[in-house]
Amino acid sequence: MLALLLWAVLLQWVCGGGGRSWQHCTELRPLDVLAELLPGSGPARGVRVLQAQGLSGLQLRASRPRALAFPASRLFLHCDRFPEEFSIIVTLRVLAVPTKRNEYIFTLMAEESPGVLLGLRYSPSKLHFLFWSPERAGGWQNRVTFRNVSLADSRWHTLVLAVSGPSFSLSVDCGLPKDVVVETPFPASLSVRRASFYLGNRRRRKGFFTGLLRQLVLLPGADATPRICTALNYKATALSIPAVLQDVPVKAVSNEVLKYPHGTNMKVTLGSRPPCTKQEKAQFWFNASRRGLYLCDGSAWISMLEVKQRLDYVEEYQDLVTNSETMGIEVFTIPRVGLFAATANRHSPPGSAIYKWTDGKFVLYQNIPTYQAQSWKYFTIGKKIFLAVANFEQNDKGQEFSVIYKWSHRKEKFVTYQRITTHSARDWEAFVIEGEAFLAVVNHREGNNHNIDSVIYRWNPSTGLFETNQTIPTSGAYDWEFFAIGPYSFLAVANTFNGTSTNIYSHIYIWLSGSFQLFQSILTFGAADWEVFHIGDRVFLAVANSHSYDSRIPAPSNFYAINSSIYELNITAQMFVKFQDLLTYSALDWEFFSVGDDYFLVVANSFDGFTFSINSIIYRWQGYEGFVAAHRLPTVGCRDWEAFNTTEGSYLLYSSAKEPLSKVLKLKTT
């Protein structure tokens, strides 16, 4: 909403009639309101430092509201007027709030008046910004309300409120801003003389703040949204957080090293990866296979000491004989049960199969009837465990549907749960947006018509079933790929063939206002797969192009030897831009994986125009050089790759669409 003010055109702002510039008056620096309650010796009386979800915040517990106040003159050193344009940045964790209750985050109040000069408060579904208008006779209290703002979920949220005249903009967790324009603008000369800031209250107990505050910053003269939301990990970005709340140790005044009491109870767990919950917090786990020591932070294992591995070579480890040619594989872990691989096999009978990792090998565990299955998708909803298969053909009764199976803890098998009508289904994608579960199917064609709708289903907790939520037009589509960047959710479709050409646009959709809307279109050539991956803060999207064909133009010398492309998200341009082309041979899949500090992409090359016996290639990330070929792997009609890890090491599993034999490869490291 607001552009950053350029230094060369800063407006002169008269403060108290002194004629001083805006910079002199406000110094154009972040003003840390929260730090004023935290003198160098630690939190003030009535303030406690608590930690929740890995972040520290202040709990305000003073019995007297004035104990949580300080004069505004401590922030406004050279001026007694509040800025006309500014941003307020708040990071907070709100507990459940009663329906009719309002709680104050902060207020600015004159000592001789009960009115609020400026303040911020919230209710269960609204955020209110209050300000005083001295221009009206006798002054007037104004309120700007942002609706449908849900903060009371016991999670950390960062708010950026930008104010400029009659325009007010609120961004929550770097989401799309909510803009409000009012008749009465924010005053150009709001005096803060003899006024005080009150944290968590409005100078009385009613409406007292009950949550945690981590950041409360006033930034004069600028919209802070670009500064807060530049990094992908937006919650880690802050303008100013008091030292006592930062997630790194504060340097001691003396030169003493940290001392630990003798007899500290330190527990080290050996063996396979144990759970890391609040109960295991501060416990260690030693991974013998990786020679690494890890510390549980209450939710994840943090590496403390680890020998960095490097990929040396790849060796064949297991020949996995399958029921028939395998179109896709899915590797997944069922907690407290084990590691599994599901193969989507071409022929029925005997259908497809699920294998369990037993004594270092995949062993047949369960057969499931399928009809030219193309892929599997494993997902969970709460404690429920599901496995969905995409069937390409009709069953023996002429019915065409794909099936969702549910894991039975009693039988320790997958059992039929829900059948969904599909049309030559190629792929399922499962994802969660704003706490709701979705399942998207790629419909490839209906009869000879490739231009049909693919469908997104939403989980209905009341019925326990997936129900149609949205349809999206696709063209001979092969694959869905869901990914999230900060607060935004995306869904990319690989369009393959429109009836006359494979040289068509594939699309990336963004979730806005309860549905997916077109975000970007990218020209692809028989696109068969999208693969999203992150390297540091960079986000990449790789497409596997299978072949180039257009009935309207002369045929190329080779339909199948074409470039597949890697795109990188350009945050400034708000789009994916091409990063690198790699020559592939009817590529059908990409798989991203890492070994130690190294990153890799492996491509499924399936056909070079002459033979299906062709090398698939592992590419290594080389920084500014991009991805460089590192290993060539002999494959036959390679259709899909899956990377997985066990306590014994790291592996790749590939499926063949031309023979009933898949292979497990072991990554040998040094």
Side-chain angles (χ1 to χ4, degrees):
M1 181 189 79
L2 296 174
L4 291 174
L5 294 179
L6 300 177
W7 291 98
V9 294
L10 283 175
L11 298 175
Q12 294 295 310
W13 187 66
V14 178
C15 176
R20 292 174 291 188
S21 70
W22 175 289
Q23 182 180 3
H24 184 208
C25 188
T26 65
E27 299 181 357
L28 284 175
R29 60 183 176 86
L31 303 177
D32 192 340
V33 180
L34 210 56
E36 296 300 322
L37 282 186
L38 301 167
S41 57
R45 189 173 181 180
V47 178
R48 293 178 59 192
V49 176
L50 297 180
Q51 191 176 73
Q53 298 172 323
L55 296 178
S56 298
L58 293 185
Q59 184 186 54
L60 310 177
R61 295 168 55 92
S63 58
R64 295 184 303 107
R66 289 184 180 273
L68 300 173
F70 63 88
S73 59
R74 279 162 52 177
L75 287 180
F76 299 101
L77 302 177
H78 307 293
C79 181
D80 57 5
R81 304 280 179 177
F82 202 88
E84 184 179 1
E85 291 188 338
F86 59 92
S87 288
I88 297 172
I89 303 95
V90 184
T91 300
L92 77 175
R93 181 175 183 263
V94 178
L95 304 177
V97 180
T99 304
K100 296 184 179 181
R101 178 183 173 91
N102 286 274
E103 292 190 359
Y104 287 85
I105 298 172
F106 81 96
T107 57
L108 177 65
M109 303 182 67
E111 292 305 314
E112 67 278 1
S113 171
V116 175
L117 296 178
L118 183 144
L120 202 59
R121 76 183 187 203
Y122 63 87
S123 61
S125 62
K126 300 175 184 177
L127 186 79
H128 308 281
F129 177 65
L130 314 174
F131 65 92
W132 190 261
S133 292
E135 285 82 358
R136 294 195 177 188
W140 189 265
Q141 184 80 66
N142 293 273
R143 181 178 68 189
V144 180
T145 298
F146 297 92
R147 303 181 185 278
N148 299 319
V149 178
S150 299
L151 302 176
D153 56 5
S154 298
R155 297 182 180 181
W156 288 104
H157 296 285
T158 295
L159 317 179
V160 180
L161 174 65
V163 178
S164 177
S167 300
F168 300 80
S169 178
L170 175 69
S171 176
V172 180
D173 295 334
C174 293
L176 291 176
K178 296 177 180 288
D179 296 327
V180 176
V181 178
V182 298
E183 293 183 0
T184 305
F186 188 83
S189 57
L190 180 65
S191 174
V192 297
R193 185 176 299 172
R194 299 185 62 189
S196 295
F197 281 95
Y198 290 82
L199 297 194
N201 68 88
R202 56 162 300 174
R203 208 159 59 199
R204 60 186 182 184
R205 292 294 304 175
K206 184 178 180 181
F208 206 85
F209 179 71
T210 59
L212 296 180
L213 274 176
R214 177 172 172 82
Q215 178 177 214
L216 179 55
V217 177
L218 170 67
L219 181 64
D223 180 358
T225 306
R227 296 179 62 172
I228 289 291
C229 299
T230 52
L232 294 178
N233 184 13
Y234 57 90
K235 288 189 177 181
T237 306
L239 289 184
S240 181
I241 291 180
V244 71
L245 300 180
Q246 294 178 10
D247 301 317
V248 295
V250 180
K251 185 176 180 180
V253 177
S254 66
N255 292 324
E256 294 182 355
V257 297
L258 291 174
K259 296 180 179 180
Y260 292 90
H262 294 287
T264 298
N265 181 22
M266 183 181 74
K267 181 179 179 181
V268 179
T269 302
L270 302 177
S272 59
R273 180 187 293 266
C276 175
T277 65
K278 291 181 179 179
Q279 294 179 346
E280 289 82 23
K281 188 174 182 179
Q283 294 184 11
F284 288 90
W285 165 51
F286 181 71
N287 186 337
S289 64
R290 293 178 177 268
R291 291 177 289 174
L293 183 66
Y294 302 84
L295 174 67
C296 176
D297 69 353
S299 60
W301 291 103
I302 308 300
S303 175
M304 305 297 293
L305 179 64
E306 184 177 23
V307 175
K308 299 301 182 183
Q309 295 179 310
R310 290 185 61 84
L311 179 59
D312 189 16
Y313 62 96
V314 180
E315 68 175 9
E316 290 193 10
Y317 181 79
Q318 180 187 2
D319 287 339
L320 183 62
V321 178
T322 54
N323 291 340
S324 60
E325 300 93 327
T326 303
M327 309 305 292
I329 47 179
E330 177 85 342
V331 176
F332 56 92
T333 298
I334 298 179
R336 297 181 295 278
V337 180
L339 175 72
F340 294 86
T343 60
N345 298 116
R346 181 189 298 272
H347 296 305
S348 177
S352 299
I354 298 173
Y355 301 83
K356 184 178 181 182
W357 187 262
T358 306
D359 297 328
K361 296 291 178 67
F362 280 117
V363 177
L364 180 63
Y365 185 82
Q366 180 181 359
N367 281 310
I368 295 181
T370 56
Y371 302 90
Q372 202 173 135
Q374 300 293 300
S375 65
W376 288 99
K377 186 64 183 180
Y378 172 85
F379 61 98
T380 61
I381 300 176
K383 295 182 179 180
K384 298 181 179 66
I385 297 172
F386 297 98
L387 192 62
V389 65
N391 284 322
F392 193 75
E393 295 290 349
Q394 298 176 351
N395 63 12
D396 298 335
K397 299 178 181 180
Q399 301 167 323
E400 187 175 355
F401 51 75
S402 295
V403 184
I404 302 170
Y405 297 88
K406 181 177 179 291
W407 176 259
S408 169
H409 292 279
R410 183 177 61 86
K411 296 181 179 180
E412 293 194 340
K413 300 281 186 180
F414 282 98
V415 297
T416 301
Y417 185 80
Q418 183 180 358
R419 292 181 174 89
I420 294 179
T421 299
T422 53
H423 303 287
S424 298
R426 288 281 191 184
D427 180 56
W428 285 106
E429 181 72 324
F431 49 92
V432 175
I433 299 177
E434 297 172 355
E436 291 194 279
F438 295 85
L439 192 61
V441 67
V442 163
N443 287 321
H444 181 70
R445 60 175 168 80
E446 187 173 5
N448 293 322
N449 182 17
H450 290 79
N451 301 302
I452 61 173
D453 287 340
S454 292
V455 185
I456 299 169
Y457 300 90
R458 185 195 302 258
W459 174 260
N460 185 331
S462 300
T463 62
L465 297 172
F466 282 98
E467 300 173 354
T468 300
N469 181 72
Q470 182 181 357
T471 59
I472 293 180
T474 54
S475 298
Y478 252 71
D479 179 61
W480 283 119
E481 179 79 350
F482 174 83
F483 56 98
I485 302 174
Y488 299 105
S489 297
F490 297 87
L491 192 62
V493 64
N495 284 326
T496 307
F497 183 61
N498 66 3
T500 60
S501 176
T502 64
N503 307 341
I504 58 178
Y505 283 93
S506 293
H507 304 296
I508 304 170
Y509 298 89
I510 185 172
W511 180 265
L512 294 174
S513 303
S515 65
F516 283 103
Q517 301 178 28
L518 184 62
F519 173 77
Q520 184 179 352
S521 299
I522 295 177
L523 182 63
T524 54
F525 304 88
D529 178 64
W530 285 108
E531 176 82 354
V532 67
F533 57 93
H534 299 251
I535 298 178
D537 281 343
R538 302 170 70 177
V539 181
F540 297 90
L541 193 59
V543 63
N545 287 321
S546 65
H547 62 292
S548 177
Y549 167 79
D550 194 323
S551 61
R552 299 164 296 182
I553 61 176
S557 58
N558 192 328
F559 293 100
Y560 306 99
I562 56 175
N563 285 332
S564 291
S565 301
I566 302 170
Y567 298 85
E568 182 178 6
L569 177 65
N570 184 313
I571 297 178
T572 302
Q574 296 186 2
M575 64 184 298
F576 285 91
V577 298
K578 185 175 287 188
F579 172 78
Q580 184 179 5
D581 283 327
L582 293 170
L583 180 62
T584 55
Y585 297 89
S586 192
L588 297 178
D589 183 54
W590 285 108
E591 179 77 0
F592 177 78
F593 64 97
S594 62
V595 177
D597 289 335
D598 294 327
Y599 302 99
F600 300 89
L601 270 177
V602 59
V603 66
N605 284 327
S606 65
F607 185 60
D608 65 0
F610 306 97
T611 179
F612 294 100
S613 297
I614 182 175
N615 288 336
S616 292
I617 299 177
I618 297 178
Y619 297 89
R620 185 196 302 270
W621 172 253
Q622 295 289 98
Y624 71 92
E625 295 181 68
F627 284 93
V628 177
H631 301 274
R632 287 171 169 79
L633 310 173
T635 54
V636 179
C638 187
R639 180 63 182 86
D640 195 13
W641 283 103
E642 284 281 282
F644 65 96
N645 299 302
T646 73
T647 55
E648 292 83 19
S650 300
Y651 303 85
L652 290 173
L653 171 61
Y654 95 83
S655 69
S656 171
K658 289 299 173 181
E659 59 181 12
L661 182 69
S662 295
K663 289 182 181 289
V664 180
L665 310 178
K666 188 168 186 178
L667 307 181
K668 303 299 288 186
T669 59
T670 56

